Amino acid sequence: MQSLIRYFIKYPVLGNVIIVALVLFGMLGYMNMRTTFFPPVPSKMISISATYPGASPQEIEEGIILKIEDNLKSVTGIDRTTSVSRENSGSITVEIESSSDLNLVLEDVKNAVNRIPSFPVGMEPVVVSKVEPREFGISFAVSGDVSLKTLKEQARKIERDLLNKEGISKLSLSGFPAEEIEIAFRENDLRRYNLTFAQALSAVQKNNILTTGGKIKTSKEELLIRANLRGYYASEIENSVVRALPDGTILRLKDIANVNDRWSENPNRVYFNGKPAVTVELQTTNDEDLFILVELVTQYIDEFNSKDQIIKLDVLRDGSKVIKQRSDLLEENGIIGIFLVVLLLSLFLNFRLSFWVALAIPLAFLGMFALGALYGMTINVMSLLAMILVIGILVDDGIVIAENIYQHYERGEKPMKAAVNGTLEVLPAVSSAIMTTILAFLVFWFLEGAMGDRARDIAFVVVGTLVISLLEGVLILPAHIAHSKALHTKSTDKSKLEKKMESIFSHFRDKYYAPVLNFSLSHPSIALAVPIAALIITFGALKGSLIKTTFFPVVEIDRVDAVLELPAGSRDHVVDSILVYMEKKVWQANEEMKKERADGKDVVELVTRKVGPGTHQGSLGITLLDGEIRKVSIIDMNNLFRDKIGPIPEAEKLTYGLNRRWGMPVSVSIVGGNLKEIREAKNDMKNEFLKMRNLKDVQDNDPPGLREVEITLKEKAYALGLNAADVMNQVRAGFFGGQAQRILRGIDEVKVWVRYEDIDRNSISKLEDMRIRLANGNSYPLREIADLSIVRGVMSINH
C-alpha cells in the first residue's frame, strides 16, 4: 500500500486523470439516469381474476376461488396466495418465491386454472396475468360546466393525445360509470303479449346482428353478402322486431319496453371542488422516467388550458414533487457541507487543505453515479435518502488524513514524506471506520420481500460513495496535499486568523479536554459508568414513551384522505350527501385558518369527492398548501378535519389517513378454520381496541354484507312443476338482468341489458308481485309460490 501511495504522490497527473474520468463518467451517468418514485423492482406477483355477474361472495368462494386455490397447490415456485371473494367477482394474488422464474410460474398457474373441469354457468373467462410493477406519476381533473358525457368524450381525446407521446404508456380514467343500453320491459306489457324474458332476450340477440352470408362470384367480380342490422345506440335498437302477432301486427321492442342509453348502476363519480369531473391518472413502468412523464403532462395541461375556456385541467397530485423536494434538500445539504468543511478546516488547518478535503464530496457522488449507470440505479426516494444520509460522513476520512499529514509536516518532515507517513499512520483506523459503516448498510442488501427490493438502493449508494471516498482520501488526497502550497509555507506565515483559532483550540484542549481525559484514565470505572447510565436512561425513555418509536417517520405531505363507508346496501346518493357535508366542513376549516394567517392564503387548495367503488363507499381527497408555506404539520391538519367534521352516526367506517403506503401502524390478523368463530373474535378484539384512547380509526376488512331477500319455494311451486332454478332464473332476469349483447362503441364496450324498468324493481312488494311464468303460458305472483325473508349477507371473504 505504501508503494501505491508513493506512486500517486510521485505522479500526481494520475490522480488528476482519475478525477477527470470520475467527473466525465459521473456526469454522463447522472444525465442518463432515469427518475422513478421508488426503485424499479421485478414483478413477483400473478393476478387471477374472475367475474360472475350477480353472484354472492359465497357463490364466488365455493364455485371459483376454492377450486383454483386447490389446483394451485401443485404449482412449484409459489410462496403464498391471498384471495378475496366479493359481490360479482373474486380475485387471487399469487406471490412467487424470489428464486423462481415468473414466466415459468405464470404458465404453470395458467395450466392449473385450465385443468379445472367446470365453472358456474354464466361466469366470464378467468383472467390470469402477471402484475406489472407501476408507480404513480401524476393525476389531473377534467372539469367544466358541461355534461358528464361531454367530459368523458373530452377525457377520451386527452387519453389519445397523451398516449401518442413517447414516454407515456399507462393511463387510466375514472369519474364515470360504464355506458350501457338498458331494455327495460314493462310487466303489464309482458303479460299482455304473454312474453317471457328469455323470449325477449332471444329476440334482441337474433335481430341486432352484423353477419356475412358468403360471396357471390360473378364472371367479373365477387360480391359479399352481408346483413348489417347492428344497432349501437338505443334509438337504433328500439325498433327491433320481437314477434309478429296473429293479426299481422309487428311487435317491436319500443312497444313493450323502454330502451335507453344510460350509465351503469355501479357508482363511479368524481367531483372537483364540488363540480362533476373526470380524473386522469398516469403511471410509470420500470422503463419510464417520472420527470419526463410529468413534464410532458404539465406541458400538455398548459397548452390545453390556453386553448379551451370551458373545460379546464387541474393537477390533483404530482408524484415528482417529493423527488424534487428531496433533490433540493440534497443539493442544499451538499452546498452547506462543502461550505462548512472549507470554513472550519480553514480556521484550524489551511484553506488549501480544506479545499482538497471538500473535493471528496462531489467526487464521491460522481463516482457513485458512474457505477450506478452500470448497476441500473435510478434517482428515487430511496437513493436520495441514502445520499442525504451519507453526505455527512463522506469527508470524515479526508479530514483525518489531511490533519495527520499536516501534523507530520509541522513536526519538520518533508511534504512528500509527511504525506506518505501521515496517510499510512491513520490508514488502519480510517479503513476500519469506513468498513464498519459499509457493513452496517450492507444489511439492506440482504432484506427480502418488497421492503428488501426497494431498500437495496440505500446499500448501493452508501457503499459506492464511501468506497470512492476512501480511495480518493487514501490515493488522490495525499498527492494533492503533498504538492499543495499548504505544505510549502513556514508556520510563521500563518494568518492572524489561523493563529487566533490555534490559540483558542489549544486553550480548550489544555483547559478542558486534557483534565477530563486524565480523570477518565485515572478512574476507568467512572468513565465506564457514564455511557452505561446514558444507555439505561435511553431505554427508560423509550419504555416511558418519552422517545417515540415508529416504523417509518411521518413525512410531511400535502394530502389528507378521508374514507367513508356506510353499511352495505346503502345507496350512492346517501353516501354523496354525507360527503358533501364533509366537504363543506373542510372548506369551513379552511376559511377559519385563512383568517388567522398573515398572508391570507388558502390552506386547502382543492378537494376531490369520489363516490365508489361500491354504492356504500366514498372518499374525500384534500390537497393542502405546501408544507413549508403552510407551517402546520400534516398530523395537525388531519386531526383538525377530524374534529371539524365530527362523528358521522351513519358511518360503518370513517378514517382520516395520510395515504400510508406501508399500511396501518398497528394491524392484527386472525386466522382460523371457522368463519363464525373468527368473526366473534374479531368483534371482541375490535371492541377492546375502541376502548383505547390512543387508537383511532379502528377498522377491519370483514364488514357486514348486504341485507338479502332469501327466497324459499312453497309446496305449490313444486306442484305446478317449478323448481328453484326455474324461479330464480326468472327473478334474476327481471331484477339483475340478462346480458343480451356486448357491442363496441368507439373504444368502450357497451353491454345491452334486458330487465325490468326501475319502477318495477324498486321495492320488496314489486318482487312479491312479480309473475313467474310456466311452460303452458300461465303465470303466478311470486308470493303465491315462495316465501320471502330478509337476512344479513356476507360482504367479502378473505383467504
Side-chain angles (χ1 to χ4, degrees):
M1 193 66 190
Q2 182 177 354
S3 58
L4 186 61
I5 296 174
R6 288 182 181 277
Y7 187 85
F8 269 83
I9 294 175
K10 185 177 181 181
Y11 302 102
V13 176
L14 178 59
N16 295 333
V17 170
I18 294 176
I19 291 176
V20 172
L22 286 176
V23 172
L24 290 178
F25 287 107
M27 290 298 296
L28 186 64
Y30 175 77
M31 289 187 293
N32 291 309
M33 197 167 289
R34 290 180 295 109
T35 303
T36 60
F37 192 82
F38 276 104
V41 296
S43 176
K44 294 183 179 180
M45 299 287 187
I46 297 173
S47 172
I48 306 174
S49 59
T51 302
Y52 184 13
S56 67
Q58 189 171 358
E59 289 179 271
I60 297 289
E61 176 78 3
E62 295 176 357
I64 304 172
I65 299 299
L66 292 180
K67 292 180 180 180
I68 296 177
E69 287 183 331
D70 187 56
N71 270 34
L72 291 179
K73 293 177 181 178
S74 61
V75 177
T76 303
I78 293 179
D79 184 20
R80 62 177 178 177
T81 63
T82 55
S83 67
V84 179
S85 302
R86 59 181 73 87
E87 293 283 342
N88 304 320
S89 65
S91 62
I92 300 176
T93 301
V94 180
E95 185 175 348
I96 70 169
E97 297 174 348
S98 57
S99 59
S100 300
D101 187 300
L102 177 64
N103 293 322
L104 295 179
V105 178
L106 177 64
E107 290 301 317
D108 291 341
V109 169
K110 287 181 178 180
N111 293 334
V113 174
N114 293 333
R115 284 197 301 267
I116 298 174
S118 64
F119 281 119
V121 177
M123 190 191 90
E124 297 182 6
V126 178
V127 178
V128 182
S129 60
K130 60 182 177 182
V131 179
E132 182 182 20
R134 299 183 189 181
E135 292 292 347
F136 175 81
I138 187 173
S139 65
F140 59 90
V142 183
S143 62
D145 293 325
V146 295
S147 66
L148 182 59
K149 187 171 181 62
T150 303
L151 288 177
K152 177 189 173 182
E153 291 172 353
Q154 189 63 61
R156 287 296 189 198
K157 179 181 179 301
I158 294 171
E159 178 184 27
R160 292 192 298 270
D161 292 342
L162 290 176
L163 289 176
N164 286 332
K165 296 180 180 293
E166 186 177 355
I168 299 177
S169 63
K170 305 301 177 186
L171 184 153
S172 61
L173 305 179
S174 62
F176 54 87
E179 292 185 61
E180 66 181 28
I181 298 174
E182 183 186 59
I183 303 173
F185 285 95
R186 300 180 287 270
E187 175 62 27
N188 292 335
D189 291 322
L190 288 176
R191 294 185 201 175
R192 181 182 305 121
Y193 297 107
N194 195 24
L195 277 172
T196 65
F197 279 103
Q199 291 170 335
L201 187 68
S202 177
V204 174
Q205 293 172 337
K206 292 179 179 179
N207 287 290
N208 194 43
I209 62 171
L210 173 63
T211 185
T212 59
K215 295 180 180 179
I216 299 174
K217 297 184 179 182
T218 68
S219 58
K220 294 183 178 180
E221 64 176 334
E222 292 185 355
L223 302 175
L224 184 64
I225 304 170
R226 183 187 299 277
N228 190 357
L229 304 175
R230 172 68 58 82
Y232 294 90
Y233 293 90
S235 59
E236 299 171 354
I237 295 177
E238 64 181 6
N239 289 315
S240 298
V241 176
V242 177
R243 166 190 297 178
L245 300 178
D247 60 359
T249 304
I250 300 299
L251 185 65
R252 301 182 183 276
L253 273 180
K254 63 182 180 181
D255 298 326
I256 57 175
N258 298 325
V259 185
N260 300 303
D261 292 309
R262 56 173 287 174
W263 302 107
S264 73
E265 296 179 348
N266 293 327
N268 184 4
R269 299 296 178 94
V270 174
Y271 300 87
F272 172 73
N273 286 346
K275 296 181 179 180
V278 173
T279 59
V280 182
E281 181 175 309
L282 295 99
Q283 298 173 316
T284 59
T285 64
N286 284 348
D287 300 322
E288 293 173 346
D289 190 286
L290 176 61
F291 276 10
I292 292 176
L293 172 80
V294 172
E295 183 180 356
L296 290 172
V297 174
T298 52
Q299 182 180 358
Y300 180 86
I301 290 175
D302 293 338
E303 293 175 356
F304 184 94
N305 288 336
S306 64
K307 297 176 182 177
D308 199 309
Q309 301 301 319
I310 300 176
I311 297 177
K312 290 296 181 182
L313 309 185
D314 296 273
V315 175
L316 300 178
R317 291 174 57 202
D318 185 350
S320 67
K321 192 174 181 180
V322 175
I323 306 296
K324 291 176 182 177
Q325 290 173 342
R326 294 200 178 188
S327 297
D328 293 341
L329 178 62
L330 174 64
E331 182 180 347
E332 181 182 342
N333 286 357
I335 294 173
I336 293 175
I338 293 174
F339 174 76
L340 289 177
V341 168
V342 173
L343 175 64
L344 295 178
L345 288 184
S346 298
L347 295 176
F348 294 105
L349 295 177
N350 183 278
F351 171 77
R352 293 182 178 86
L353 289 182
S354 64
F355 170 78
W356 292 118
V357 171
L359 186 64
I361 295 177
L363 285 181
F365 277 112
L366 288 169
M368 183 269 297
F369 286 138
L371 297 175
L374 302 175
Y375 168 73
M377 189 188 81
T378 64
I379 302 297
N380 56 73
V381 291
M382 290 296 189
S383 59
L384 287 172
L385 171 64
M387 294 179 205
I388 294 171
L389 287 174
V390 78
I391 197 170
I393 56 178
L394 278 179
V395 296
D396 290 357
D397 55 340
I399 292 173
V400 173
I401 292 172
E403 190 276 335
N404 202 50
I405 291 174
Y406 196 73
Q407 189 178 34
H408 276 262
Y409 172 72
E410 288 183 321
R411 292 173 183 170
E413 295 182 5
K414 298 291 184 180
M416 302 281 282
K417 185 177 181 181
V420 174
N421 294 338
T423 303
L424 290 174
E425 186 176 12
V426 296
L427 181 59
V430 168
S431 301
S432 300
I434 295 293
M435 292 307 299
T436 302
T437 306
I438 288 175
L439 289 175
F441 278 92
L442 273 178
V443 173
F444 289 103
W445 196 275
F446 300 99
L447 294 177
E448 295 185 354
M451 272 294 296
D453 291 336
R454 299 189 187 282
R456 289 195 180 100
D457 274 19
I458 296 178
F460 176 82
V461 169
V462 172
V463 172
T465 51
L466 289 180
V467 167
I468 297 295
S469 174
L470 179 62
L471 294 176
E472 189 274 342
V474 173
L475 300 177
I476 300 175
L477 179 63
H480 285 146
I481 294 177
H483 295 278
S484 171
K485 290 184 179 180
L487 300 190
H488 294 79
T489 57
K490 298 179 181 179
S491 59
T492 56
D493 295 335
K494 292 181 180 180
S495 65
K496 293 182 179 180
L497 179 62
E498 288 178 322
K499 292 179 180 178
K500 182 63 176 177
M501 293 304 301
E502 185 175 344
S503 173
I504 293 174
F505 184 76
S506 299
H507 175 75
F508 177 83
R509 179 193 61 196
D510 299 334
K511 186 73 175 178
Y512 300 103
Y513 176 70
V516 173
L517 179 61
N518 291 329
F519 179 82
S520 300
L521 294 174
S522 303
H523 305 81
S525 58
I526 297 178
L528 184 62
V530 171
I532 294 176
L535 184 63
I536 294 173
I537 293 173
T538 301
F539 280 120
L542 286 170
K543 281 289 187 180
S545 296
L546 295 176
I547 300 176
K548 307 297 183 182
T549 57
T550 178
F551 187 68
F552 273 100
V554 176
V555 180
E556 283 298 319
I557 60 176
D558 304 326
R559 182 180 173 88
V560 173
D561 292 301
V563 180
L564 172 70
E565 189 170 311
L566 299 188
S570 301
R571 296 297 301 272
D572 53 335
H573 66 269
V574 178
V575 174
D576 191 42
S577 65
I578 296 177
L579 290 175
V580 169
Y581 165 79
M582 294 171 60
E583 183 177 357
K584 182 179 179 181
K585 290 296 183 180
V586 169
W587 287 117
Q588 287 179 3
N590 172 67
E591 289 300 321
E592 293 175 3
M593 296 189 68
K594 182 178 179 181
K595 293 177 181 178
E596 297 175 359
R597 293 180 61 88
D599 57 9
K601 289 186 176 181
D602 288 309
V603 177
V604 177
E605 293 188 337
L606 57 93
V607 178
T608 53
R609 186 173 85 246
K610 181 179 180 181
V611 181
T615 58
H616 63 296
Q617 298 169 320
S619 62
L620 289 183
I622 307 167
T623 301
L624 306 173
L625 188 66
D626 185 88
E628 294 184 0
I629 304 174
R630 189 175 68 240
K631 303 299 183 182
V632 181
S633 73
I634 191 64
I635 293 180
D636 290 339
M637 292 299 302
N638 191 53
N639 293 331
L640 172 65
F641 294 139
R642 186 197 308 273
D643 296 337
K644 189 67 178 177
I645 293 172
I648 304 293
E650 304 92 335
E652 184 79 27
K653 181 191 301 183
L654 178 58
T655 60
Y656 298 86
L658 310 178
N659 200 13
R660 298 181 181 91
R661 186 180 183 91
W662 305 106
M664 302 296 287
V666 178
S667 61
V668 179
S669 177
I670 305 176
V671 182
N674 188 307
L675 189 58
K676 182 179 178 181
E677 293 179 354
I678 291 176
R679 288 202 171 103
E680 291 175 353
K682 180 251 313 185
N683 292 330
D684 292 341
M685 184 176 294
K686 192 173 180 180
N687 290 333
E688 291 299 319
F689 286 161
L690 289 171
K691 297 176 183 177
M692 301 180 185
R693 294 183 178 180
N694 293 333
L695 294 184
K696 299 177 181 178
D697 301 338
V698 179
Q699 56 182 286
D700 62 80
N701 64 351
D702 182 41
L706 289 163
R707 291 204 305 160
E708 299 177 351
V709 179
E710 195 170 87
I711 296 176
T712 306
L713 295 189
K714 297 179 179 179
E715 294 294 331
K716 182 178 179 179
Y718 298 107
L720 293 172
L722 293 170
N723 55 47
D726 294 333
V727 174
M728 289 308 299
N729 285 340
Q730 293 189 48
V731 171
R732 177 185 172 90
F735 281 77
F736 180 78
Q739 191 180 128
Q741 288 179 324
R742 293 188 181 189
I743 56 179
L744 199 62
R745 188 192 294 169
I747 64 172
D748 294 320
E749 186 180 61
V750 179
K751 297 178 181 180
V752 181
W753 288 97
V754 175
R755 57 166 77 100
Y756 278 135
E757 63 177 337
D758 291 344
I759 196 172
D760 284 330
R761 52 189 179 96
N762 62 2
S763 66
I764 296 177
S765 62
K766 296 292 186 181
L767 175 61
E768 293 174 332
D769 292 337
M770 178 184 180
R771 309 292 291 195
I772 302 299
R773 291 167 176 81
L774 279 61
N776 59 11
N778 295 331
S779 63
Y780 294 87
L782 182 61
R783 65 161 57 91
E784 292 187 10
I785 62 173
D787 293 321
L788 280 64
S789 59
I790 298 178
V791 297
R792 176 63 72 176
V794 178
M795 189 66 186
S796 64
I797 301 176
N798 303 288
H799 275 215

